[in-house]
Amino acid sequence: MKVVVQVRLMPTPEVASALERTLRTANEAANWLSGQAHGRGEFSRKALQGFAYRDLKGRGLSAQPALHVLRKVADAYSTLKANIRNGNLGKPGSKRRKKAEAKPITFSPGAAQPYDDRCLSWQVDEQTVSIWTVAGRLRGVRFACSGQARKLLAEHRKGESDLVHRDGMWFLIATCEVPEADRYEPDGFLGVDLGIVNIATTSDGKIHAGSELNRYRRRQLALRAKLQKKGTKSAKRVLKRQRRKERRKATETNHIISKRIVTEAERTGRGIGMEGLAGIRTRVRLRKPQRVALHSWAFAQLGQFVEYKARRAGVPVLFVDPACTSRMCAECGHTDKLNRVSQGRFACRSCGFVDHADRNASRNIRARAWKLWRSGAESHAPAPAQGAGRRRKPSSQLGSTSKPGPSGPGS
């Protein structure tokens, strides 16, 4: 399986200047090529290389970086076509789709640039790299990382790495091929219900509350609104510093919760059952205050974190249909909208069973996962979401709630 390792480069001012010129040159070439591709209507790598390879080399790129620019542009248009085909940009004729199709894709001056082993070499023991730039090959560029990351680089690094400039710092994001553990035969399943109020609730009764993260999000939202209203230069500097802080906080929380879930399942020899919530943002219509909570919910990222940690540990994972898990009684199976008395309380109208609403839902998820496993279903994960976690994103792109019912997010 593929995981990524991020290391921070520690360049001298001269090296940093060369890296900056390299990114700028590569992305200016990518923007030129994108315009040519859009005008000609040719987007495949082969077609782009046929008419643009020599021009890219004439713009200051050597052979391998020129090929990476070609691939970066072709991949960006492949992603756009896939989004259009899947309806992610609206129906034919919609404003959003027209806007996406009407102009060429553009790359920011600091967009990530991929490197392969021909233009980037690692000296992991010395914690240095040798990297190609428009100023020539730079050797002995130091990097910093944790001991665990250095071990992964030394033993499992394979494939491309991305050069990223973010918040005044330089990073290399390397791909590692980590072997998966053999998946064991589970002795039952650990059901996991996802929500806004409680980020995750297991069928064992363990509740991972989201109150702290939700308070942090509300505080960040109010701070952004206040600074945007003020609009001074100092306010804009603070806004710039605050960028991505909320996302990093949510990512850290999801890493902690996913590790605890996988560790508990592995310790007890069980598999993990989770809800398949792909597409929930497009399926549900909510009032504006509820939309903020729904679109801040990093449920897909949590699912990906659980899935990849489980694969490394050999724990089976199944994603089940979430329909009616919050309304169905885990004891007698009676399903009724009125069973869900409040956000946190479940009371069956048929048998009188009372439980925490999220725990009742997680028990239903556990039962569905166990039924799927016995019927021979394969373990699978939802499609990766944007910006999500440890999975690698395309180079061109580098640069949280219960299941809503008819009345909106309730868990």
Side-chain angles (χ1 to χ4, degrees), residues 174-399:
T175 305
C176 296
E177 287 277 1
V178 179
E180 296 183 28
D182 293 333
R183 194 175 64 181
Y184 57 76
E185 183 69 24
D187 183 20
F189 272 79
L190 179 68
V192 181
D193 178 70
L194 305 179
I196 295 177
V197 175
N198 298 314
I199 298 175
T201 303
T202 69
S203 53
D204 290 347
K206 176 65 177 176
I207 296 176
H208 300 277
S211 54
E212 180 183 351
L213 182 58
N214 289 331
R215 280 197 303 269
Y216 181 80
R217 281 181 169 141
R218 288 193 294 269
R219 190 164 63 247
Q220 289 294 104
L221 182 63
L223 177 60
R224 286 196 299 270
K226 182 179 178 181
L227 292 172
Q228 288 167 354
K229 184 177 180 180
K230 194 166 187 178
T232 61
K233 288 186 177 180
S234 60
K236 291 177 182 177
R237 283 197 296 269
V238 175
L239 276 171
K240 189 175 181 180
R241 287 201 304 270
Q242 294 290 320
R243 287 185 307 169
R244 293 189 289 272
K245 284 188 69 175
E246 182 179 325
R247 186 171 63 188
R248 290 198 299 270
K249 178 72 172 176
T251 298
E252 179 191 32
T253 301
N254 282 339
H255 268 303
I256 293 171
I257 293 173
S258 60
K259 184 176 182 179
R260 290 175 179 171
I261 290 172
V262 172
T263 301
E264 179 62 19
E266 183 182 16
R267 185 185 67 81
T268 56
R270 291 178 290 177
I272 299 173
M274 300 187 71
E275 303 163 283
L277 297 175
I280 192 172
R281 290 190 174 98
T282 57
R283 294 198 307 267
V284 178
R285 294 189 178 276
L286 302 169
R287 296 190 301 271
K288 190 171 183 179
Q290 293 175 311
R291 276 181 241 150
V292 174
L294 178 64
H295 288 276
S296 298
W297 183 27
F299 64 90
Q301 185 190 68
L302 178 57
Q304 290 166 15
F305 286 177
V306 169
E307 194 267 342
Y308 94 81
K309 293 178 195 292
R311 286 171 64 189
R312 293 187 69 176
V315 178
V317 179
L318 286 178
F319 290 81
V320 304
D321 183 4
C324 297
T325 52
S326 293
R327 298 174 179 177
M328 186 173 75
C329 178
E331 290 291 324
C332 70
H334 176 68
T335 303
D336 192 332
K337 182 178 179 180
L338 299 177
N339 285 348
R340 187 70 179 265
V341 179
S342 65
Q343 183 278 320
R345 188 167 182 268
F346 180 92
C348 180
R349 296 280 172 155
S350 177
C351 69
F353 172 70
V354 177
D355 198 359
H356 189 284
D358 293 341
R359 182 173 180 271
N360 176 77
S362 66
R363 291 178 62 193
N364 289 325
I365 293 166
R366 177 186 64 186
R368 291 185 184 185
W370 184 233
K371 183 178 179 181
L372 274 176
W373 180 265
R374 287 184 297 177
S375 68
E378 289 292 328
S379 178
H380 66 283
Q386 292 282 357
R390 299 281 300 260
R391 292 232 180 240
R392 180 172 181 155
K393 298 190 292 184
S395 300
S396 60
Q397 297 177 12
L398 284 169

Side-chain angles (χ1 to χ4, degrees), residues 72-73 75-77 79 105-107 111-112 114 393-399:
K72 181 163 75 170
V73 173
D75 289 346
Y77 277 102
T79 301
I105 294 173
T106 57
F107 301 84
K393 298 190 292 184
S395 300
S396 60
Q397 297 177 12
L398 284 169

Side-chain angles (χ1 to χ4, degrees), residues 12-33:
T12 63
E14 294 77 14
V15 172
S17 177
L19 293 175
E20 187 174 354
R21 294 201 307 274
T22 300
L23 279 191
R24 186 169 61 248
T25 300
N27 287 304
E28 285 174 354
N31 284 328
W32 171 82
L33 179 58

Side-chain angles (χ1 to χ4, degrees), residues 13-226:
E14 294 77 14
V15 172
S17 177
L19 293 175
E20 187 174 354
R21 294 201 307 274
T22 300
L23 279 191
R24 186 169 61 248
T25 300
N27 287 304
E28 285 174 354
N31 284 328
W32 171 82
L33 179 58
S34 178
Q36 293 291 315
H38 188 268
R40 293 167 176 255
E42 297 178 348
F43 305 109
S44 70
R45 295 182 186 181
K46 184 176 181 180
L48 295 181
Q49 186 169 347
F51 73 80
Y53 178 69
R54 291 184 181 276
D55 289 321
L56 290 176
K57 292 192 69 175
R59 289 174 172 268
L61 301 175
S62 61
Q64 284 302 112
L67 291 176
H68 284 302
V69 168
L70 285 165
R71 294 177 186 132
K72 181 163 75 170
V73 173
D75 289 346
Y77 277 102
S78 295
T79 301
L80 176 63
K81 286 183 178 180
N83 282 327
I84 291 174
R85 185 170 59 250
N86 295 332
N88 297 335
L89 297 177
K91 298 178 180 179
S94 66
K95 284 186 178 181
R96 190 179 177 194
R97 180 163 171 175
K98 281 183 178 179
K99 186 177 179 180
E101 294 174 324
K103 59 182 181 180
I105 294 173
T106 57
F107 301 84
S108 67
Q113 176 66 13
Y115 280 78
D116 60 19
D117 289 341
R118 294 188 180 183
C119 43
L120 173 69
S121 60
W122 296 78
Q123 297 79 46
V124 178
D125 292 338
E126 293 81 13
Q127 289 192 220
T128 62
V129 295
S130 170
I131 187 169
W132 175 88
T133 69
V134 291
R137 189 88 176 196
L138 301 180
R139 305 180 189 278
V141 182
R142 296 197 61 80
F143 68 84
C145 65
S146 66
Q148 182 183 8
R150 188 165 64 177
K151 184 179 179 181
L152 278 173
L153 287 171
E155 298 177 357
H156 304 297
R157 190 196 63 79
K158 185 178 181 180
E160 294 182 355
S161 303
D162 287 321
L163 176 66
V164 178
H165 190 211
R166 186 171 63 227
D167 296 336
M169 296 176 286
W170 291 93
F171 299 94
L172 279 172
I173 302 178
T175 305
C176 296
E177 287 277 1
V178 179
E180 296 183 28
D182 293 333
R183 194 175 64 181
Y184 57 76
E185 183 69 24
D187 183 20
F189 272 79
L190 179 68
V192 181
D193 178 70
L194 305 179
I196 295 177
V197 175
N198 298 314
I199 298 175
T201 303
T202 69
S203 53
D204 290 347
K206 176 65 177 176
I207 296 176
H208 300 277
S211 54
E212 180 183 351
L213 182 58
N214 289 331
R215 280 197 303 269
Y216 181 80
R217 281 181 169 141
R218 288 193 294 269
R219 190 164 63 247
Q220 289 294 104
L221 182 63
L223 177 60
R224 286 196 299 270
K226 182 179 178 181

